[in-house]
Amino acid sequence: MAAAAGVAQCLLKGGARSADGWGMRSLSLITDRLPRVRRLLAAGAGLSAVLLWTLAQGPGAPPAEAFAPRPAATVESEGLQALFGSENRVIPTRERVIALTFNAAWNDAGLDSILGELARRRVPATFFLTGDFADRYPTVVRRIAEAGHGLGNHSFSHPYFKDLTEAERQDEVMAADQALRAAGAGRAVTPFFRFPYSETSPAHIREVNALGFADIEFTTDTNGWKGTEGGMTVDDAVDRALDALCPGAVLQMHVGASQGGTEVIDAEALPRILDALPTRGYRVIDLRSLLTP
């Protein structure tokens, strides 16, 4: 009961239902959606190629190159099964740990800064990419994988799932998975899926689970994606992240900027967020540790 109460308090504190950047803008990727990728019949193909990494110990995680692989997770694995049937907005723990996640769908404007900072601090992150992004930036996919981070699925074209048929939703998930693998993600691909706009429903989660993916959402979003034109500042993004700190928090940030922009508030906020974590008794862990029973 105490653990459940802690999760509820963390979600309330973080405002977990806040929309991500896609939910607030009209983007050409949505209005001019690419032709639907043909449905992949082998829905679960290749999911056993997931690479797991060790749980970070001590005040910081080991360097990316030192992360030790564990046996690959399968759809039948106990750790993955435990994540099914839920939005998974908070890691169930009483430890002062958080997980860092980054969405990527627009461009890679903040990637160099983000990867450099993660490497310098020796902390892991999980990057949720759209399949369209993977098709356009295969080098980015490989760079993230080679740096030792996890790669999650954020659909192919970031549509509103409620507007699609079940077959179209399956296409979105599996086409993105195929795009990540074709771009060279290798074993960095995880069985993690994040819904566009964080728009979930029990039925849609069941569909994703049936394809072999666990839904991983977030406790809070920094809202850095809004940029200064949307009224956000680096100070605001840092405050949103730190105000939502609680055991097991999952922080959502973004790699790039919309409409060809180059200003990435989250890339600027990241060093300050990471500086503050140890002063508050927190450390970063890898989401892939959830896959171990």
Side-chain angles (χ1 to χ4, degrees):
M1 293 294 290
V7 168
Q9 183 178 13
C10 187
L11 288 173
L12 182 62
K13 184 179 180 183
R17 298 298 283 176
S18 61
D20 71 10
W22 285 81
M24 303 297 290
R25 304 188 183 199
S26 174
L27 300 176
S28 60
L29 185 57
I30 302 303
T31 58
D32 300 322
R33 185 180 305 160
L34 296 175
R36 183 69 57 184
V37 180
R38 184 174 61 186
R39 183 178 182 182
L40 303 177
L41 297 178
L47 288 176
S48 62
V50 179
L51 179 62
L52 304 182
W53 303 103
T54 54
L55 176 65
Q57 299 295 324
E65 63 269 22
F67 290 165
R70 294 181 180 180
T74 65
V75 175
E76 294 76 25
S77 72
E78 183 179 342
L80 180 58
Q81 285 288 323
L83 300 174
F84 284 0
S86 172
E87 290 182 318
N88 297 301
R89 291 185 176 274
V90 178
I91 299 168
T93 181
R94 295 183 180 180
E95 292 186 65
R96 290 194 169 194
V97 296
I98 74 163
L100 301 177
T101 68
F102 295 86
N103 292 358
W106 296 309
N107 60 27
D108 64 344
L111 183 76
D112 288 345
S113 175
I114 289 169
L115 285 183
E117 194 64 28
L118 294 175
R120 186 171 76 84
R121 307 297 185 110
R122 300 180 177 183
V123 295
T126 302
F127 290 76
F128 287 85
L129 314 184
T130 66
D132 174 70
F133 180 93
D135 280 348
R136 289 183 290 117
Y137 296 99
T139 302
V140 169
V141 175
R142 293 191 293 272
R143 286 184 62 192
I144 293 171
E146 289 166 2
H149 303 295
L151 285 162
N153 186 322
H154 198 34
S155 81
F156 186 83
S157 63
H158 209 287
Y160 286 98
F161 267 39
K162 63 182 176 59
D163 294 336
L164 306 180
T165 66
E166 180 177 353
E168 288 171 336
R169 289 190 291 270
Q170 291 175 349
D171 287 346
E172 282 285 337
V173 176
M174 297 312 300
D177 182 74
Q178 185 181 54
L180 286 170
R181 297 178 189 281
R187 293 187 299 167
V189 176
T190 68
F192 294 154
F193 178 79
R194 175 169 284 168
F195 281 90
Y197 310 98
S198 196
E199 180 192 74
T200 69
S201 75
H204 294 168
I205 289 174
R206 285 193 296 271
E207 291 173 3
V208 167
N209 293 164
L211 295 175
F213 293 86
D215 176 32
I216 303 291
E217 298 302 325
F218 55 90
T219 311
T220 193
D221 188 321
T222 62
N223 281 353
W225 57 267
K226 292 182 177 181
T228 53
E229 72 278 11
M232 283 297 293
T233 67
V234 174
D235 287 344
D236 292 335
V238 173
D239 288 344
R240 281 184 61 84
L242 299 182
D243 288 348
L245 280 181
C246 60
V250 179
L251 181 62
Q252 175 172 278
M253 293 172 280
H254 289 76
V255 165
S258 67
Q259 308 298 328
T262 58
E263 175 195 53
V264 182
I265 284 180
D266 286 332
E268 297 181 52
L270 182 61
R272 290 174 53 184
I273 293 170
L274 293 177
D275 277 343
L277 291 181
T279 69
R280 301 190 181 200
Y282 280 84
R283 61 187 174 91
V284 178
I285 63 169
D286 196 322
L287 268 179
R288 289 167 292 188
S289 64
L290 291 173
L291 295 171
T292 54

